Amino acid sequence: MAKRTSLHGFWSSRLAFVLAVSGSAVGLGNIWRFPFVAGENGGGAFVLFYVLCVFVIGLPIMISEVMIGRRGRRNPIATMRIVGEEEGSHSSWGLVGVMGIVSGFLILSFYSVIGGWTIAYLGYSLTNGFSGLSAGEIHGLFSTLLADPVKIVALHTVFMALTILIVGRGVERGLETLVRFLMPALILLLGLLLSYSILAGDFSGGVNFLFRADFDALTPESMLTAMGQAFFTLSLGMGAIMAYGAYLPEGTSISRTSFAVVLVDTIIALVAGLIIFPIVLANGLDPAQGPGLVFETLPLAFSSMPMGGLLAPVFFALLLFAAWTSAIGLLEPAAWSVESHGRSRRSVALVIGVVIWALGLLTIFSFNLLADVRILGGSLFENVDHLASNVMLPLGGLLITVFAGWVMCKNSSSEELGIGTGPGYRTWRFLARWVAPISVLLVFLHAAGILGILGLV
Ligand code: TRP
């Protein structure tokens, strides 16, 4: 078959691709979402189950997404449709791309709100700083922010505008440069914060909380959340990674690249946990307090550490950049798909961005004006997050891995992966055909209580 070539050019190097995919993967999911869901689900067993999901489900699906993306070299909808037909299956595989775009809308709608909180904290750290503030005062800062919908709407607007700006210009310009500097700087700063937690926090308590597993306490719902977190943090299941794979030059090893990204992403999340929980425990805070966790713990570290006044703004600026590069990855598949129907990228990014922005108001108001609205026991924000992260992403990932393992023939996948048909290839194919899809299904059935009804657990 004649190889397709990318319509938007290629990444300038393998490193550029690694950086772009890690830019999408590493974001609020690692530093904001992972610690708070781990805290809400009791740490330990939840964390280990999450790591298991990352390597057993996430890694083979990441490889599958990049592979399908490079095979199709189009936007995710067109790619799934074209490769599906080419493999003698159906063009309706394009619907997986459509579902992915909807998941991206839902996720970006709240992602941008949290991006706005990050801007607020960058503002605090630049103006008054946190130095000398007590835990109570830092808590007050956060609750005052949450109670101010006008301010959050404004910041959400700024964050969304920044995202629309880059996506409207075309992702390949700018993103590479941004991430190339961002990743090393973020890792350096996390290293500094980690040494603070080791020295000043309850580090052994934090390690215990994160890694001491009590599997009896792992509920089916927690398992679903851990799996959802694995998809969320790796940007999987919605075609985002597929869109980046479309720009990948031939001859770059997909499996090694994916492994590197998965490893870096997981280490960053675990380090974020190792920074946050020692501070939580040393200050008698509640690990299960929810989405405010990072915003109420890290300022405490900055308030008492040497040079905290200087490091705080640097940290929140880096977190903002990390969130920004992820938000770009969330909007890109939708922008690219609609753009190819003959509309300009700028106008498409703007229109879609405004729709997502409006959806984001639900999240904002769920922390203040509409805090009393509960659906299925959760707030509006929790429902949007749960539907997108825990249901739609794993479902998308399931379909993608079935496509890569069952619809694509052996010749196509081994040719595209370029690793022959040896043990490496066979391992991937086994994981993609059997282990990943069955695991996702089992977690779904377990969460729905069906395994229990059948008397299997
Ligand atoms: N992975 C990002 C994070 O951890 C969030 C994200 C970016 C994402 N793109 C995505 C999640 C695509 C799911 C799908 O912050």
Side-chain angles (χ1 to χ4, degrees):
M1 188 205 73
K3 284 280 178 186
R4 267 181 290 274
T5 115
S6 162
L7 304 178
H8 286 171
F10 293 108
W11 300 108
S12 58
S13 65
R14 178 177 116 97
L15 181 66
F17 174 75
V18 174
L19 287 171
V21 177
S22 13
S24 158
V26 176
L28 295 171
N30 305 62
I31 292 165
W32 160 72
R33 198 174 188 276
F34 170 72
F36 101 72
V37 292
E40 282 180 341
N41 289 279
F46 173 90
V47 173
L48 292 179
F49 191 71
Y50 148 76
V51 174
L52 187 74
C53 288
V54 161
F55 287 97
V56 170
I57 303 176
L59 181 58
I61 295 186
M62 165 98 54
I63 295 174
S64 305
E65 269 206 54
V66 179
M67 177 188 81
I68 299 169
R70 190 167 73 179
R71 192 83 180 162
R73 295 230 185 266
R74 297 282 186 278
N75 68 65
I77 299 180
T79 286
M80 292 295 288
R81 199 181 59 231
I82 294 174
V83 181
E85 283 174 345
E86 203 166 83
E87 298 289 337
S89 181
H90 232 260
S91 61
S92 49
W93 280 103
L95 291 175
V96 176
V98 176
M99 184 177 80
I101 285 171
V102 178
S103 323
F105 274 38
L106 293 175
I107 294 176
L108 187 52
S109 79
F110 65 82
Y111 206 88
S112 168
V113 174
I114 316 302
W117 295 1
T118 313
I119 300 178
Y121 273 73
L122 177 59
Y124 295 147
S125 56
L126 282 172
T127 49
N128 309 320
F130 304 110
S131 85
L133 294 191
S134 67
E137 285 163 327
I138 285 171
H139 173 72
L141 212 53
F142 184 69
S143 27
T144 313
L145 174 67
L146 278 197
D148 188 347
V150 177
K151 182 168 178 181
I152 306 183
V153 169
L155 297 172
H156 164 57
T157 310
V158 171
F159 187 89
M160 210 52 222
L162 288 172
T163 307
I164 294 171
L165 190 77
I166 296 288
V167 174
R169 281 176 20 157
V171 163
E172 58 277 36
R173 275 183 284 165
L175 187 62
E176 264 188 52
T177 340
L178 187 65
V179 186
R180 198 181 283 267
F181 124 92
L182 171 72
M183 279 297 147
L186 187 66
I187 290 172
L188 183 75
L189 220 76
L190 287 174
L192 283 177
L193 282 168
L194 182 62
S195 43
Y196 170 84
S197 272
I198 294 176
L199 294 173
D202 175 1
F203 194 68
S204 62
V207 171
N208 257 332
F209 181 81
L210 265 188
F211 298 114
R212 245 251 300 278
D214 170 10
F215 282 98
D216 293 339
L218 190 64
T219 64
E221 187 58 31
S222 296
M223 291 169 84
L224 183 67
T225 307
M227 179 172 77
Q229 174 61 21
F231 277 93
F232 187 96
T233 191
L234 297 175
S235 308
L236 291 178
M238 57 153 283
I241 298 294
M242 205 181 282
Y244 284 174
Y247 310 128
L248 187 64
E250 295 299 326
T252 310
S253 163
I254 293 178
S255 47
R256 273 193 314 175
T257 317
S258 304
F259 186 72
V261 171
V262 167
L263 197 65
V264 168
D265 186 84
T266 309
I267 291 175
I268 292 184
L270 294 177
V271 167
L274 285 175
I275 292 170
I276 285 164
F277 289 109
I279 301 174
V280 168
L281 298 175
N283 292 283
L285 302 173
D286 176 11
Q289 66 176 252
L293 189 64
V294 183
F295 297 98
E296 297 196 27
T297 48
L298 292 189
L300 263 178
F302 293 124
S303 78
S304 64
M305 72 197 278
M307 301 212 305
L310 192 68
L311 292 176
V314 178
F315 175 81
F316 284 109
L318 288 172
L319 184 59
L320 179 61
F321 276 125
W324 191 22
T325 55
S326 300
I328 292 166
L330 279 162
L331 188 55
E332 172 63 13
W336 192 7
S337 304
V338 183
E339 169 201 43
S340 48
H341 287 267
R343 274 161 278 230
S344 89
R345 177 168 266 266
R346 269 168 208 277
S347 56
V348 167
L350 184 64
V351 171
I352 298 178
V354 169
V355 173
I356 298 175
W357 174 87
L359 204 57
L361 299 177
L362 286 183
T363 291
I364 295 180
F365 298 145
S366 82
F367 291 106
N368 37 63
L369 307 176
L370 303 178
D372 296 333
V373 178
R374 314 291 289 181
I375 302 166
L376 301 170
S379 66
L380 289 171
F381 157 67
E382 285 164 334
N383 276 284
V384 175
D385 180 23
H386 179 81
L387 175 66
S389 314
N390 300 346
V391 180
M392 293 176 68
L393 293 183
L395 184 60
L398 174 74
L399 293 168
I400 287 170
T401 191
V402 164
F403 184 88
W406 294 94
V407 173
M408 283 180 74
C409 68
K410 238 177 160 166
N411 282 342
S412 313
S413 56
S414 70
E415 180 193 31
E416 201 59 54
L417 290 177
I419 47 172
T421 51
Y425 174 75
R426 286 204 298 273
T427 310
W428 165 76
R429 196 150 191 264
F430 179 68
L431 291 171
R433 277 163 82 91
W434 299 102
V435 180
I438 292 177
S439 310
V440 173
L441 269 183
L442 284 178
V443 174
F444 274 158
L445 293 176
H446 193 35
I450 295 184
L451 297 189
I453 294 173
L454 298 177
L456 293 176
V457 282

